Amino acid sequence: MTDSSTADHADRQAPFDTFATDLRTHLAGALRPEHAGERVRLAGWVHRSRDLGGLVFVDLRDRAGLVQVSFDPRYSPPDAIAAAGSVGVESVVLIEGVVAERPVEGVNPDMATGAIEVRGHALRVVGPATTPAIPVARGRGEKLPAEELRLRHRYLDLRRPELQANLLLRHRLLQATRGFLAGRGYLEVETPVLTKPTPEGARDYLVPSRVHPGEFYALPQSPQLYKQLLMTAGFDRYFQIARCFRDEDLRADRQPEFTQIDIEASFVEQEDIIKLVEGLLGRIFKEARGAEIPANFDRITWREAMDVYGSDKPDRRFGLNFVDLTEELKDCEFRVFSGAVAAGGVVKAINAKGFADISTGQIDKLTKLAQAAGAKGLAYIQARGEDRESWRSPFVKRMTDAEVEALRSKLNIEAGDLILFAADQWEPACDVLGRVRLECADMQNLLEGNEELNFLWVTEFPLLAFDEETSRYVAVHHPFTRPLKEDEEKLLKGELSTDLRAQAYDVVLNGTELGGGSIRIHEGPLQSAMFKALGISEETAAEEFGHILDAFRFGAPPHGGLALGLDRLVMLICNEQSIREVMAFPKNNKGSDLMSQSPAEVDPKQLRDLRIQTVKKPGAAPTGNTPAAAAQG
Ligand code: ASP
């Protein structure tokens, strides 16, 4: 039995001896001193080789890690030495040899197999490699090749032990999820990938139908309606590791397709979903990190999250909490403050302790950030000393002693502090100061060395937001989200406002949203009222969502659920900066797969079959983007 638990990148679920075949007896990276004296057949890639003039060392790599194989005239036949001496790196080889303990001075503590080596008796190349387009083996401190190159040759980049470890962890996390949910009666049900387009929400990826010329399927943005229909069909508890597609502008951490752990249950309330997900995340973190996380996470309402942290996914690993100064500064001679209050707004501030010596460049950066978020500027005080004369600020002279004292006591201002303000209507003021808060924490390195896992539930999200551009209400979560009991009547009566609250909840880790969900509407009249609130006419509702409205007429159970973003979860657990590092074949930040060169133009015949004509002229330089397509009908 091999020692799988200490191998470099051990897969704890499959013992290594299950990898034995006629071609190999052991995994190279799993060999240990207990194998000394055993004759082994190994198979894998040549990670490195060194020819010291007749004495050849080959580092052989397989899924379990690396082992050193030596070819030495004392025990290796000449043809084996010659084969080892001429083999190219990254070639696939079959090796026969005997495991031997290394002398004490030869032990390599940096290798899991460093106490042994394999004395090579034969080496056969079964998959020769030309010089790899990007190197797989890297010296200490050696930088990775440019990401474009790595994505282009993803099959080579995936050989890197780091990426192998990430995908192995992702696998383990998925197995843990399946085990946990199946163990609680959740059924894994697959839902269609070819679905019906909807104009709601994000932009759909469309798939033309050949059989129905001029008609299109959409790839699902999430299995939302299907999982609700499964509830009305009586399945009671559902989950799916679901691929979702959204044609949104891509940001650094977005992919056109991503994976959700999607969950729905009947006869549940918010509390049940929260408990379930706390348990699931507990199992996931135990499996993936060996970490015990709290059994119950703190909860705050959306209003409180915005009011104190200026974010619906607050990072609470550091302070910089907002202090409200609306009352204290309502008559301030500095009009930015009193004017905001007179217009029904608020004044809020944070105290960045000990940051009075912020540089002009840093102040500029914070100001630009505030402006980009919609503020006119950024008011600040650098409290260089105790008394107000020493405070550096464009407006402190215009404050009364009482106002200064109120600031001092409410913000606990001491010499060396930096105070940053926002004054506006409540939501924009909170939003601006929330962004400033995060940047400030970054500038002050407040999270350096912080290993905390800070989980949080944010509840009672607003049901509706007002979209200024289209002058109509939009759903904050999605149109199937249930209002809070207290606000149900208002929705039914059409008394709409952004004050209506939803039974919607997000789970947050260290300032990142891991996922969110809601208790759903399960009655036709309430669902129709919601569609109406969103400006969806009865005809459109019947056309787009007729099936769910119908399903609600035939006996629908109360139900609710949530979806966790799997890619981001794995990224956080792997301490990676990008979800591309935890996906096998990601696209770049322009949505292109550089390896297979997709998206790509298609054969005109395929377009003819689909009765589609592209607007782009044939022969025009490729843009790398999907050509705009028009249905001919
Ligand atoms: N389908 C929702 C989403 O993708 C999650 C949920 O409400 O369960 O955000």
Side-chain angles (χ1 to χ4, degrees):
M1 176 66 208
T2 54
D3 173 12
S4 57
S5 61
T6 52
D8 290 20
H9 299 293
D11 177 348
R12 285 194 228 134
Q13 280 159 359
F16 279 131
D17 46 11
T18 61
F19 286 84
T21 63
D22 277 351
L23 293 182
R24 67 169 171 216
T25 55
H26 293 73
L27 282 179
L31 293 173
R32 295 291 180 273
E34 76 211 49
H35 298 106
E38 278 184 49
R39 212 182 159 78
V40 293
R41 291 195 304 279
L42 306 174
W45 285 258
V46 173
H47 192 65
R48 261 187 218 104
S49 75
R50 300 175 296 286
D51 187 343
L52 309 178
L55 173 63
V56 183
F57 292 100
V58 169
D59 285 348
L60 182 71
R61 187 187 71 238
D62 62 17
R63 196 173 111 177
L66 291 173
V67 76
Q68 172 174 292
V69 187
S70 60
F71 293 86
D72 184 317
R74 284 179 295 164
Y75 43 74
S76 310
D79 60 334
I81 300 178
S86 61
V87 68
V89 286
E90 294 308 316
S91 295
V92 176
V93 294
L94 302 180
I95 285 178
E96 279 186 46
V98 174
V99 181
E101 282 196 60
R102 296 197 204 183
V104 181
E105 65 284 3
V107 168
N108 179 349
D110 295 335
M111 268 172 110
T113 58
I116 51 115
E117 64 169 359
V118 174
R119 297 186 164 176
H121 292 177
L123 179 147
R124 183 153 67 93
V125 178
V126 291
T130 52
T131 309
I134 52 168
V136 176
R138 265 182 312 144
R140 216 180 279 275
E142 204 176 307
K143 280 221 187 86
L144 286 174
E147 194 182 18
E148 293 263 304
L149 265 181
R150 290 194 282 121
L151 288 173
R152 182 128 173 241
H153 304 282
R154 186 66 169 174
Y155 44 85
L156 282 179
D157 202 30
L158 281 172
R159 292 182 186 177
R160 267 198 295 134
E162 295 88 337
L163 288 190
Q164 298 244 328
N166 288 355
L167 290 188
L168 179 62
L169 190 134
R170 185 177 176 125
H171 155 81
R172 290 222 315 268
L173 199 148
L174 284 174
Q175 300 314 311
T177 299
R178 289 197 156 99
F180 180 89
L181 291 171
R184 278 158 187 74
Y186 283 77
L187 300 185
E188 184 166 6
V189 183
E190 293 149 282
T191 54
V193 167
L194 295 178
T195 69
K196 180 172 169 147
T198 58
E200 285 300 303
R203 208 176 292 122
D204 287 328
Y205 277 101
L206 297 177
V207 181
S209 160
R210 182 183 55 80
V211 180
H212 302 279
E215 296 183 10
F216 294 80
Y217 301 100
L219 303 181
Q221 297 184 21
S222 82
Q224 185 60 36
L225 284 181
Y226 288 110
K227 65 176 175 171
Q228 291 191 240
L229 290 164
L230 287 170
M231 293 304 105
T232 67
F235 285 95
D236 208 284
R237 292 173 176 208
Y238 141 98
F239 84 97
Q240 182 176 194
I241 311 295
R243 195 60 64 80
C244 305
F245 307 84
R246 296 184 192 168
D247 187 4
E248 292 174 306
D249 291 335
L250 299 166
R251 292 190 312 236
D253 198 21
R254 271 213 192 130
Q255 287 278 312
E257 53 182 299
F258 57 93
T259 306
Q260 287 187 342
I261 301 172
D262 195 37
I263 298 174
E264 196 77 8
S266 293
F267 308 112
V268 291
E269 294 174 320
Q270 172 169 306
E271 195 60 30
D272 301 295
I273 301 293
I274 285 185
K275 287 263 148 54
L276 177 81
V277 172
E278 285 173 345
L280 172 61
L281 287 170
R283 167 75 81 87
I284 284 175
F285 274 81
K286 178 104 195 119
E287 174 65 30
R289 267 206 176 177
E292 295 288 346
I293 65 170
N296 300 300
F297 311 160
D298 283 354
R299 297 182 201 182
I300 60 175
T301 63
W302 174 84
R303 180 153 280 278
E304 195 184 339
M306 291 301 292
D307 205 44
V308 180
Y309 307 101
S311 167
D312 59 5
K313 42 179 185 300
D315 192 337
R316 302 200 310 161
R317 288 172 298 170
F318 53 87
L320 294 175
N321 296 6
F322 296 0
V323 172
D324 191 282
L325 299 159
T326 310
E327 190 50 37
E328 289 75 6
L329 297 179
K330 66 179 192 304
D331 300 319
C332 184
E333 211 186 285
F334 184 49
R335 289 285 305 153
V336 169
F337 295 157
S338 49
V341 183
V346 298
V347 183
K348 289 184 168 281
I350 54 175
N351 182 352
K353 282 263 154 223
F355 200 28
D357 59 356
I358 184 171
S359 71
T360 318
Q362 285 173 314
I363 280 279
D364 279 353
K365 188 168 178 200
L366 289 178
T367 306
K368 287 210 177 84
L369 185 85
Q371 284 167 338
K376 292 201 185 69
L378 180 65
Y380 62 90
I381 297 173
Q382 289 168 279
R384 290 187 163 151
E386 285 294 337
D387 77 79
R388 64 180 288 175
E389 304 311 317
S390 66
W391 291 6
R392 198 172 158 267
S393 158
F395 55 82
V396 89
K397 282 184 224 64
R398 291 154 69 184
M399 288 184 147
T400 63
D401 281 344
E403 283 163 349
V404 167
E405 284 322 304
L407 286 192
R408 195 194 291 282
S409 79
K410 274 195 108 171
L411 282 156
N412 180 29
I413 303 176
E414 296 167 305
D417 292 351
L418 170 74
I419 315 300
L420 298 156
F421 295 83
D424 202 335
Q425 295 301 304
W426 176 77
E427 201 170 334
C430 293
D431 177 53
V432 165
L433 201 56
R435 290 165 198 257
V436 168
R437 172 180 182 265
L438 289 181
E439 182 62 38
C440 207
D442 195 41
M443 287 176 172
Q444 289 190 277
N445 286 325
L446 295 186
L447 286 173
E448 207 167 71
N450 187 316
E451 300 267 308
E452 189 185 341
L453 294 173
N454 193 296
F455 289 93
L456 177 72
W457 285 103
V458 179
T459 63
E460 290 184 23
F461 272 77
L463 186 71
L464 303 170
F466 193 73
D467 181 37
E468 301 287 347
E469 224 169 87
T470 53
S471 257
R472 63 178 191 124
Y473 285 103
V474 290
V476 169
H477 188 48
H478 53 54
F480 314 100
T481 295
R482 194 175 191 86
L484 224 56
K485 186 95 201 105
E486 299 89 298
D487 293 338
E488 217 174 283
E489 215 36 49
K490 291 194 187 122
L491 179 63
L492 280 169
K493 286 196 193 137
E495 292 167 14
L496 307 179
S497 78
T498 52
D499 289 341
L500 298 191
R501 288 154 303 164
Q503 297 190 44
Y505 32 78
D506 274 3
V507 60
V508 174
L509 169 60
N510 295 348
T512 299
E513 180 200 325
L514 293 182
S518 57
I519 299 301
R520 324 296 183 190
I521 296 170
H522 68 278
E523 314 91 320
L526 193 57
Q527 188 63 67
S528 297
M530 183 66 175
F531 285 145
K532 196 164 162 210
L534 302 176
I536 301 174
S537 70
E538 261 174 56
E539 301 79 71
T540 313
E543 225 170 82
E544 305 289 340
F545 305 109
H547 55 305
I548 189 117
L549 289 171
D550 279 347
F552 286 171
R553 288 196 296 127
F554 299 124
H559 60 282
L562 163 143
L564 294 170
L566 177 77
D567 308 291
R568 218 174 301 163
L569 187 60
V570 182
M571 178 187 92
L572 290 175
I573 292 176
C574 291
N575 277 326
E576 290 288 1
Q577 301 302 314
S578 154
I579 56 173
R580 295 190 288 276
E581 299 297 307
V582 298
M583 299 173 115
F585 297 105
K587 305 202 169 32
N588 73 357
N589 57 11
K590 293 205 177 72
S592 301
D593 175 349
L594 300 179
M595 179 184 64
S596 69
Q597 305 281 317
S598 85
E601 292 186 15
V602 295
D603 192 294
K605 170 155 182 342
Q606 282 175 294
L607 289 180
R608 266 200 311 278
D609 286 349
L610 294 167
R611 302 177 59 92
I612 296 240
Q613 204 172 35
T614 60
V615 176
K616 210 172 84 174
K617 282 198 208 97
T623 58
N625 294 322
T626 317
Q632 283 197 314

